[in-house]
Amino acid sequence: MKTYAVIDGSMITTVVQSADEAAKLAELFPEKTIKEVPAGFTGNKGDDIRFFDEDGKRLSIAAATEAGLVPEVGEHEAAIWEGGRYVLTPDYTGVPYWKKATGAAVHLSLGRKPDESMTDIEPSDPQAVWNETGWTVPEEVLSERVRLERDRLLSESDYIMMADYPLTDKSDWKAYRQALRDIPLQPGFPQEISWPQAPEKRS
């Protein structure tokens, strides 16, 4: 297993035992040097700390403790240097959350936890609103969408109903257009709509 250290000048301030943890520390401390150190080194007082940097300068441990320098971190946690020691802080960076009140995405910074005003369930629709169990689109929004589509389909066939349009029998089109107008009367409106099929355009 490889061992990595955070080096600040000639002081080793953090020691970790995996490349993943080293990558996390590199994100937390971009201004510091992360390098591999002798395997098995943990930062405890009893460890052999006689190793050197590329220039042959001996490196020493800053604030070594019996328990080591970096605490074990759990899910959604990070170890940060604070008050001369490392402490655990919430880490939800990169975890998607949304505001229940608006549906807007929330980008949590290091140290900030999600609260009751947020959810990790993505909104199902740009106009969805949050209720006790999840996101739903209000009935009035669905109704307006259906009516707009109904009106669009009606307008597409307006010219067929004009007196000078060369179609002898327009009964099928009249029935189709009436079915469009009656869509709000369907039992499933506005959640479930059975759209009528437009007749063929024949003379």
Side-chain angles (χ1 to χ4, degrees), residues 77-146:
E77 287 185 331
I80 63 171
W81 185 257
E82 185 177 277
R85 63 190 181 92
Y86 281 94
V87 296
L88 295 178
T89 189
D91 184 7
Y92 285 82
T93 55
V95 181
Y97 278 87
W98 290 266
K99 281 284 188 183
K100 294 177 181 178
T102 63
V106 180
H107 303 285
L108 296 169
S109 57
L110 186 66
R112 185 184 176 196
K113 296 175 65 175
D115 56 42
E116 290 299 319
S117 70
M118 308 172 194
T119 176
D120 60 355
I121 303 174
E122 185 175 2
S124 56
D125 186 281
Q127 292 181 284
V129 296
W130 180 262
N131 58 28
E132 294 299 324
T133 58
W135 298 98
T136 58
V137 180
E139 187 168 304
E140 59 269 22
V141 173
L142 292 175
S143 299
E144 179 63 16
R145 291 178 182 176
V146 172

Side-chain angles (χ1 to χ4, degrees), residues 41-47 61-71 85:
F41 184 85
T42 65
N44 294 337
K45 284 184 178 179
D47 281 330
I61 300 176
T65 66
E66 294 293 348
L69 292 172
V70 182
R85 63 190 181 92

Side-chain angles (χ1 to χ4, degrees), residues 24-84:
K24 174 65 74 173
L25 289 173
E27 293 180 9
L28 292 173
F29 307 106
E31 74 284 0
K32 294 182 172 57
T33 301
I34 311 294
K35 68 171 292 182
E36 186 177 350
V37 295
F41 184 85
T42 65
N44 294 337
K45 284 184 178 179
D47 281 330
D48 182 0
I49 61 172
R50 293 173 297 173
F51 56 96
F52 304 84
D53 64 14
E54 289 81 356
D55 298 325
K57 184 177 180 180
R58 180 172 174 169
L59 302 172
S60 58
I61 300 176
T65 66
E66 294 293 348
L69 292 172
V70 182
E72 289 290 330
V73 296
E75 185 178 12
H76 301 310
E77 287 185 331
I80 63 171
W81 185 257
E82 185 177 277

Side-chain angles (χ1 to χ4, degrees), residues 111-197:
R112 185 184 176 196
K113 296 175 65 175
D115 56 42
E116 290 299 319
S117 70
M118 308 172 194
T119 176
D120 60 355
I121 303 174
E122 185 175 2
S124 56
D125 186 281
Q127 292 181 284
V129 296
W130 180 262
N131 58 28
E132 294 299 324
T133 58
W135 298 98
T136 58
V137 180
E139 187 168 304
E140 59 269 22
V141 173
L142 292 175
S143 299
E144 179 63 16
R145 291 178 182 176
V146 172
R147 287 189 168 92
L148 286 173
E149 177 62 11
R150 184 270 313 272
D151 293 346
R152 184 188 69 81
L153 293 173
L154 281 170
S155 66
E156 284 186 349
S157 60
D158 281 347
Y159 72 97
I160 295 176
M161 306 310 296
M162 296 177 67
D164 59 351
Y165 185 77
L167 181 62
T168 304
D169 184 3
K170 299 182 180 181
S171 59
D172 288 348
W173 282 97
K174 290 179 180 179
Y176 165 70
R177 287 167 61 84
Q178 186 59 50
L180 287 174
R181 295 187 182 95
D182 291 342
I183 279 177
L185 303 179
Q186 292 184 11
F189 179 86
Q191 288 82 7
E192 297 180 9
I193 303 299
S194 177
W195 292 95
Q197 186 69 36

